[in-house]
Amino acid sequence: MGKDVIIACDFDSAEKTFAFLDKFTGRKPFVKIGMELYYAEGPSIVREIKKRGHKIFLDLKLHDIPNTVKKSMAVLSRLDVDMTNLHAAGTVRMMEGAIEGLTRPDGTRPLLIAVTQLTSTDQESMEKDLLIKEPIADVVMHYAHNAKLAGLDGVVCSPLEAGKVHETCGEKFLTVTPGVRFADGDIGDQKRVMTPAEAKKIGSDYIVVGRPITAAEDPVAAYERCVREFVD
Ligand code: C5P
């Protein structure tokens, strides 16, 4: 899979999601289904969106003992998603279990991406709450390295970290980057943002874009603008 724009479908019902997706009569966007929508509607929402011809990033961020993650990944793999994820903090063994569970009998599997440190965690909370004393940038790179060791395909990171992740883990190790805003758009609650064009320049492989598309007056035009700036 090449560079693509992934729309974060952060809706709380199938009805709202389909009302949104119905607007896309041309190119079918790659969509991200997160915990909110998945917990509201269950696996049927994944099957239905897949049936409509969209690629799916199932963003459930698994983190449990290796055996539980392995078995859960086997179930997610049968949902035929294109990309899913977990927390690198679950250890290399947990990530290896995830790969094992995700791999289908024919050897194929969805892309597996690790979350390093959440962008909501800062140096202070990491030291105080998690007792991790290293600089957060080093922790992020260490987790990315662990993900690569375990055989994962890439990490979710800030577009600002994408270049460093590629330096550390290789050009082929994927960077999936949220925190994208148009130059003339609203930043909202995101702190460190980049435009789609900047994310492309810095080497992001996939950008995850939510509100700049979902809350736009014309979501299809906003999506097409993202594709123009990031992919074309
Ligand atoms: O609306 P917005 O473009 O900010 O949406 C970004 C999406 O990416 C949301 O689904 C958010 O949960 C997700 N995300 C993020 N930052 C991370 C990881 C995921 O914004 N570090």
Side-chain angles (χ1 to χ4, degrees):
M1 280 196 263
K3 276 189 190 292
D4 211 346
V5 174
I6 303 178
I7 304 181
C9 283
D10 293 324
F11 301 110
D12 60 8
S13 73
E15 199 187 344
K16 288 181 199 161
T17 308
F18 292 136
F20 172 73
L21 292 178
D22 281 344
K23 298 183 203 294
F24 294 83
T25 51
R27 178 184 174 129
K28 301 274 180 190
F30 200 140
V31 301
K32 178 171 89 75
I33 300 175
M35 290 187 221
E36 184 184 9
L37 184 57
Y38 190 80
Y39 291 147
E41 299 289 348
S44 65
I45 189 75
V46 177
R47 294 193 191 95
E48 284 172 46
I49 294 178
K50 190 82 204 173
K51 220 189 294 167
R52 288 170 167 240
H54 297 270
K55 284 187 174 164
I56 296 176
F57 170 21
L58 188 57
D59 176 19
L60 298 181
K61 300 187 179 69
L62 274 66
H63 187 173
D64 209 315
I65 59 170
N67 187 54
T68 301
V69 168
K70 177 180 157 183
K71 291 186 159 178
S72 307
M73 283 294 184
V75 173
L76 296 185
S77 177
R78 290 200 289 277
L79 279 178
D80 201 23
V81 296
D82 299 279
M83 183 187 288
T84 190
N85 63 357
L86 46 62
H87 274 283
T91 75
V92 171
R93 231 185 100 217
M94 187 203 79
M95 291 192 270
E96 287 170 345
I99 292 268
E100 233 181 283
L102 208 54
T103 306
R104 306 184 184 102
D106 66 359
T108 64
R109 63 166 174 80
L111 292 172
L112 185 59
I113 304 295
V115 174
T116 57
Q117 283 292 347
L118 290 169
T119 44
S120 50
T121 306
D122 59 11
Q123 185 75 34
E124 193 190 344
S125 55
M126 195 182 67
E127 288 186 16
K128 202 162 142 251
D129 299 351
L130 309 180
L131 281 184
I132 299 172
K133 307 287 184 193
E134 312 297 324
I136 194 158
D138 294 357
V139 176
V140 167
M141 290 310 145
H142 181 63
Y143 283 15
H145 181 70
N146 283 351
K148 184 160 190 225
L149 265 184
L152 270 71
D153 303 293
V155 287
V156 180
C157 63
S158 146
L160 296 150
E161 294 160 352
K164 187 84 196 292
V165 169
H166 280 139
E167 263 172 48
T168 309
C169 300
E171 282 307 313
K172 287 196 178 139
F173 195 67
L174 302 174
T175 51
V176 179
T177 62
V180 173
R181 291 294 180 266
F182 291 121
D184 51 1
D186 228 359
I187 290 185
D189 56 358
Q190 294 282 15
K191 296 228 158 49
R192 300 178 302 148
V193 298
M194 258 192 199
T195 65
E198 286 165 339
K200 176 182 185 176
K201 212 180 290 166
I202 211 156
S204 292
D205 296 287
Y206 294 89
I207 50 172
V208 176
V209 188
R211 289 159 293 178
I213 295 175
T214 55
E217 226 167 89
D218 184 345
V220 177
Y223 170 68
E224 281 167 359
R225 180 176 172 191
C226 273
V227 172
R228 262 197 320 275
E229 285 191 24
F230 182 70
V231 185
D232 295 343

